[in-house]
């Protein structure tokens, strides 16, 4: 359910003086000293930092929930254990944990993992999803970066849809760990990880009176299964449409033998050809909003993803099951 999150606590000058005395370092260096003394105890999953702004003192605590609990599947039943660990951390720093109840959730990363054991299929999958929509709401797709030579360089196994408030990401977790020179854990092998990152501005808005159903900015409120799946529906599945991936010849046959009328069959074939040529966004600009949605609904009913497997993609299968099928099934 979750991977990492960031908490903020309003603390006092006395708290700052206590932690400096206990750790024997200036408040600016508490993380390094904390890791030396307590890092192993918390599996190096907690990163504390003290800052001062507008005359007030704050503790920021970045938490890797997976590392903290040493398990890959974190859900709402794990809340109390997470809370106890964080309260223990506060006790070690300040000799009390009263700040916990007033914490502010400043960032949270929801995660959803799928396993694709064949490396070539994982590479094919990233090739396919890069052809999905360039923009969803205010989230803009990013598939690469400008390198040191000033040239655009594609991310091979990562794709972002990002705004200032929410970031949706898909990446090859195993490849990421290897690139960083880190040990690949058993639960990270052959995994494609999807993340929906809620930034401070989004969490702040959701807690405000402007939101129809406000959610207080505290961890417990976001560690609920219904909230988790609603965010996946809104920010993940809205970007990645349902249906299995096919080469055009297979999709054409599925359309040909479907109960769709003849004119709509012609329309769907033309729609897929346009998408195959460039991307789903290109096709979206070609048709009216009505006809675009009509095509997607028809294809969804036939179990066909609007993105096709290119006929010249090396060693590609004729069809490929959508890795998000199990997640889609939860909403049916």
């Amino acid at each position: 359910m979750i991977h990492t999150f960031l908490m903020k606590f309003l603390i006092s000058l006395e708290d700052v003086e206590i932690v400096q005395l206990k750790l024997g370092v200036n408040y600016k260096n508490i993380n390094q000293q904390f890791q030396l003394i307590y890092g192993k105890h918390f599996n190096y999953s907690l990163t504390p930092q003290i800052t001062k702004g507008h005359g007030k003192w704050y503790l920021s605590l970045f938490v890797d929930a997976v590392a903290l609990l040493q398990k890959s599947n974190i859900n709402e039943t794990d809340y109390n254990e997470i809370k106890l660990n964080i309260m223990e951390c506060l006790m070690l720093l300040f000799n009390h944990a009263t700040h916990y109840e007033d914490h502010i959730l400043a960032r949270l990363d929801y995660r959803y993992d799928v396993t694709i054991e064949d490396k070539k299929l994982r590479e094919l999958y990233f090739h396919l999803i890069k052809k999905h929509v360039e923009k969803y709401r205010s989230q803009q797709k990013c598939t690469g970066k400008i390198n040191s030579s000033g040239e655009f360089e594609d991310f091979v196994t990562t794709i972002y849809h990002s705004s200032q408030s929410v970031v949706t990401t898909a990446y090859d977790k195993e490849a990421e760990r290897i690139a960083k020179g880190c040990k690949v854990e058993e639960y990270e092998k052959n995994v494609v990880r999807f993340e929906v990152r809620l930034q401070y501005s989004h969490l702040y808005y959701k807690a405000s009176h402007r939101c129809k159903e406000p959610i207080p900015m505290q961890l417990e409120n976001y560690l609920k299964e219904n909230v988790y799946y609603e965010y996946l529906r809104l920010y993940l599945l809205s970007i990645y449409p349902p249906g299995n991936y096919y080469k055009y010849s297979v999709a054409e046959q599925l359309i040909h033998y479907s109960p769709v009328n003849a004119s709509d069959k012609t329309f769907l074939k033309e729609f897929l050809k346009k998408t195959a040529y460039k991307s789903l966004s290109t096709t979206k600009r070609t048709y009216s909003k009505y006809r675009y949605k009509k095509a997607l609904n028809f294809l969804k009913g036939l179990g066909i993803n609007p993105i096709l497997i290119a006929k010249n993609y090396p060693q590609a299968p004729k069809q490929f099951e959508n890795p998000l099928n199990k997640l889609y099934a939860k909403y049916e």
Side-chain angles (χ1 to χ4, degrees), residues 111-116 125 129 132 168-170 192-195 232 235-245 305 320-332:
R111 58 184 276 262
Y112 183 80
D113 290 351
V114 297
T115 300
I116 304 177
Y125 185 55
I129 63 177
H132 285 311
T168 302
T169 311
V192 172
R193 175 163 295 173
F194 298 90
E195 290 183 353
L232 293 187
Y235 291 98
L236 177 59
L237 298 187
S238 296
I239 292 173
Y240 301 106
N244 294 327
Y245 297 93
N305 196 283
F320 172 49
E321 182 178 351
N322 192 328
L324 292 172
N325 277 348
K326 288 184 179 179
L327 181 58
Y328 270 107
K330 290 183 176 293
Y331 300 90
E332 294 177 353

Side-chain angles (χ1 to χ4, degrees), residues 15-59:
D15 291 323
V16 178
E17 291 171 344
I18 288 172
V19 73
Q20 288 184 140
L21 185 62
K22 291 189 71 173
L23 298 185
V25 294
N26 182 275
Y27 74 89
K28 295 179 181 179
N29 302 314
I30 67 160
N31 180 51
Q32 295 92 317
Q33 194 70 0
F34 182 85
Q35 302 307 333
L36 284 173
I37 301 172
Y38 304 115
K40 187 175 181 181
H41 176 71
F42 293 107
N43 300 310
Y44 301 99
S45 61
L46 305 180
T47 306
Q49 183 179 13
I50 290 177
T51 56
K52 185 179 182 181
H54 303 290
K56 296 180 180 180
W57 292 93
Y58 297 92
L59 170 72

Side-chain angles (χ1 to χ4, degrees), residues 104-107 164-165 198-205 217:
I104 292 175
L105 190 62
R107 193 189 105 185
Q164 292 183 342
S165 59
L198 309 181
Q199 309 278 41
Y200 178 82
S201 58
H202 177 84
L203 296 166
Y204 183 81
Y205 164 75
M217 296 171 71

Side-chain angles (χ1 to χ4, degrees), residues 97-149:
T98 55
H99 293 312
Y100 183 85
E101 298 305 327
D102 297 318
H103 77 261
I104 292 175
L105 190 62
R107 193 189 105 185
L108 181 134
D109 294 353
Y110 283 126
R111 58 184 276 262
Y112 183 80
D113 290 351
V114 297
T115 300
I116 304 177
E117 294 186 357
D118 189 322
K119 182 181 177 182
K120 292 294 183 182
L121 285 182
R122 290 202 303 276
E123 291 174 354
L124 170 61
Y125 185 55
F126 280 98
H127 172 78
L128 293 170
I129 63 177
K130 284 182 179 180
K131 299 183 74 174
H132 285 311
V133 290
E134 294 171 4
K135 187 176 182 180
Y136 173 69
R137 293 183 176 176
S138 58
Q139 292 176 278
Q140 186 68 45
K141 182 169 68 175
C142 175
T143 60
K145 63 179 181 179
I146 303 298
N147 62 25
S148 57
S149 302

Side-chain angles (χ1 to χ4, degrees), residues 105 110 203 206 215-216 218-224 231:
L105 190 62
Y110 283 126
L203 296 166
K206 293 295 290 185
I215 304 175
Q218 294 196 309
L219 178 64
E220 185 176 16
N221 300 308
Y222 283 88
L223 202 61
K224 296 182 184 298
Y231 270 105

